[in-house]
Amino acid sequence: MKTIFIKSIIAIFAACIIIVSCKKETPLAQPQKDVPNNYPNDGAIVLSDNIITDTVLKNHKNGVDYRIASCIQVSRGSKITIESGVSIEVMPGMCIELYDSTSFTVTGTMASPVTISGLVKSKGSWRGIFMNGNLCSVNMQFASVQFAGNDWRQFNSSAINAYRGSITLNNCEFGNNLSYCIWLSNDVSIGGIHNNKFLNNDAEPIMIDFRKCDQLSNDNTFTGNVLNGVLIKTAPKEFCNNDLNIPKLNVPYYADSTFNTRKAIVIQPGTWMIMKKLSIFNVDNSQGTGASFTANGTAQQSITLEGAEQKKGYWSGIQMKSANASFEYCNLISAGLVNNYVSINPYAVIISEGPGADTLNVKNCTLLNGPEWAIAIDTPAVNYNLDIETINFFDTTFKNGNVIWF
């Protein structure tokens, strides 16, 4: 009897082990998306599932064609094509995220554009489009993107956040977004940003990595934004290692911090840059990488680099280390704290320091509202134009003088 009881206990214990092991092998159910259901019942197709196959969105009715009711992830190389005339509304707090080699193509026309808007018509009611895949692409023409730009995870909160992949935007309209419309990182390939309209947005419509700031054109329009311009997003501990030829736009650039470069920068005539507090151009050719700075305007189209506030030394200025530089018809306003990070060097708007056979050319320029010196030149390391003191205009704010040789 005792033997039978022990065998029964063993059998029950073994059965429990089998049951437990079976439960471990059973896959857990995936958590369900929190999909709101308070959208209008007007025949629009509700999209709430992730997209893993090629998908075409068509204009199938009057009014809104589709509503996005969750944060939709597009992956596995899927292609989304949005045909002309389609209207899409995005529920509050939702977004579109692109991964791996997916594509997002909008084929609107002038007569029949595509609209991507928030269900709630207020700035930042939905988060935006996020390009997260190295090979993902966004190609949009004749599209209107409205009421986006509210993402708590990102520092930029843009309607389109291009972190990776490639992007082309032509003949689109970006309006009533909470902050930036487009963020263009250094890791994105820009196919063209042409003939777009930016209206009534709450920050500079375009924020672009400083290593890409020569990629824009003068055919976009900016109206009614809190700042009508393009923000150059710098990275104080990183260097630009590619040549830049920065074009004139019909609005100013805003430079936010330390613009380091080890290559050549050319600023085109007519360009206007507004420099934020203590921002600086640091042109470092100490490693012989070809760093130089050229800001040659013309009498008809001068170049202006000025502080966001008209305070003495509001932005630091331009410093060259073993680098050639040329300034003609260039206005440098409210700078003057640059000194190549060396405590014994003088503070100035422009400082040119060796070692090296460097050349500094400053002609027909205007230097205003600086605290100490206008120009500081390291001699004999730097060659400079001998009429530097007479061919340029210096106002009386430089308390120590116009040019110092050290």
Side-chain angles (χ1 to χ4, degrees), residues 27 37 58 65 89 107 114 138 140 188 224-225 252 275 311 317 322 353 382 387-388 395 397 402 405:
N37 56 11
K58 297 180 175 292
D65 298 290
E89 284 185 342
T107 58
V114 169
V138 167
M140 299 173 63
V188 70
N225 305 285
M275 315 300 291
K311 297 178 180 179
S322 304
E353 183 185 24
V382 176
D387 57 356
I388 196 167
D395 73 359
T397 59
N402 298 331
W405 296 265

Side-chain angles (χ1 to χ4, degrees), residues 74 96-100 102 104 129-133 136-138:
V74 185
I96 302 168
E97 298 180 291
L98 308 177
Y99 292 91
D100 52 66
T102 57
F104 186 88
I129 299 170
F130 296 84
M131 298 171 59
N132 297 315
C136 71
S137 66
V138 167

